[in-house]
Amino acid sequence: MAGGGLLLLGCGGGGAAGGGSRAPTPRVPPAGPLAQAFVLESSGVPPDDTTTTFAARASRVVLLRRGAPDNSLFAEIRIAASDSNTADSTTLSVRPRPGLYGVELSASGHAPGRIRLTFSYGLHFVAPADARERYGSNLVFERTLFVARLEGERLVYLPSTRPGSDLLSAEVDGPGVYLVASPR
């Protein structure tokens, strides 16, 4: 694959975003219009789209990295083994959202097991216009971020944890568009 956008690891072991403290972020805000949110912007070389197929009964970790020369971690997607004893496979496609910390996940074949999505935003963090004015500093703004699911023109904020510095993680419901965002 050109661009080196995917690294697929087997089961077990801790990953870059899998260990560390799971201290929760502040109280989860209610769902609201996308227009009433600050979505975390991203600079630098974006990751490539990627697709992988694996046995549904096996767990997987997909590391989505930015393109060369950076190759830094953008997102980690941990997929638990399916509860089924099926021999079927799952195909997972990941499409980063240009200029944003966000991905679109789609799946075909057997439904994947639980999915934990972790964004790594330390190197290419760009606070949206007006976010510093609203929150007073990048640090305060950063502490108000959540992983959110985009449903039409509405964001549903998910309970999110911080497994490490500059990492934001949430269990997601499966296929959909997920963004790193904060209420305005």
Side-chain angles (χ1 to χ4, degrees), residues 149-176:
R149 181 182 176 105
L150 183 62
E151 295 180 355
E153 289 298 314
R154 190 181 106 148
L155 278 181
V156 176
Y157 295 95
L158 304 174
S160 301
T161 60
R162 296 185 177 282
S165 179
D166 302 329
L167 298 173
L168 190 63
S169 183
E171 193 163 304
V172 300
D173 296 332

Side-chain angles (χ1 to χ4, degrees), residues 13 58 109 147-148 171 176 180:
V147 176
E171 193 163 304
V180 175

Side-chain angles (χ1 to χ4, degrees), residues 116-180:
R116 175 154 291 278
L117 174 60
T118 302
F119 288 98
S120 175
Y121 58 83
L123 292 178
H124 300 283
F125 177 105
V126 178
D130 302 331
R132 278 183 298 274
E133 289 177 34
R134 161 72 169 86
Y135 289 104
S137 73
N138 281 347
L139 182 59
V140 174
F141 167 66
E142 185 250 346
R143 292 294 163 206
T144 67
L145 294 172
F146 288 85
V147 176
R149 181 182 176 105
L150 183 62
E151 295 180 355
E153 289 298 314
R154 190 181 106 148
L155 278 181
V156 176
Y157 295 95
L158 304 174
S160 301
T161 60
R162 296 185 177 282
S165 179
D166 302 329
L167 298 173
L168 190 63
S169 183
E171 193 163 304
V172 300
D173 296 332
V177 175
Y178 297 94
L179 303 169
V180 175

Side-chain angles (χ1 to χ4, degrees), residues 2-180:
L6 169 73
L7 175 62
L8 187 63
L9 303 174
C11 356
S21 165
R22 297 227 185 259
T25 55
R27 185 180 57 83
V28 179
L34 178 60
Q36 294 300 311
F38 290 118
V39 177
L40 187 61
E41 297 172 7
S42 175
S43 66
V45 179
D48 291 330
D49 294 357
T50 193
T51 299
T52 185
T53 301
F54 52 93
R57 66 177 175 262
S59 60
R60 287 291 183 256
V61 176
V62 177
L63 299 179
L64 193 61
R65 295 193 173 278
R66 293 176 176 281
D70 188 338
N71 297 318
S72 64
L73 182 64
F74 179 80
E76 176 183 278
I77 303 149
R78 288 184 171 268
I79 306 150
S82 172
D83 293 337
S84 166
N85 227 2
T86 183
D88 292 341
S89 63
T90 297
T91 298
L92 178 73
S93 295
V94 183
R95 292 182 29 205
R97 305 298 281 191
L100 301 174
Y101 277 95
V103 294
E104 180 178 352
L105 302 178
S106 59
S108 61
H110 190 81
R114 286 184 335 275
I115 299 173
R116 175 154 291 278
L117 174 60
T118 302
F119 288 98
S120 175
Y121 58 83
L123 292 178
H124 300 283
F125 177 105
V126 178
D130 302 331
R132 278 183 298 274
E133 289 177 34
R134 161 72 169 86
Y135 289 104
S137 73
N138 281 347
L139 182 59
V140 174
F141 167 66
E142 185 250 346
R143 292 294 163 206
T144 67
L145 294 172
F146 288 85
V147 176
R149 181 182 176 105
L150 183 62
E151 295 180 355
E153 289 298 314
R154 190 181 106 148
L155 278 181
V156 176
Y157 295 95
L158 304 174
S160 301
T161 60
R162 296 185 177 282
S165 179
D166 302 329
L167 298 173
L168 190 63
S169 183
E171 193 163 304
V172 300
D173 296 332
V177 175
Y178 297 94
L179 303 169
V180 175

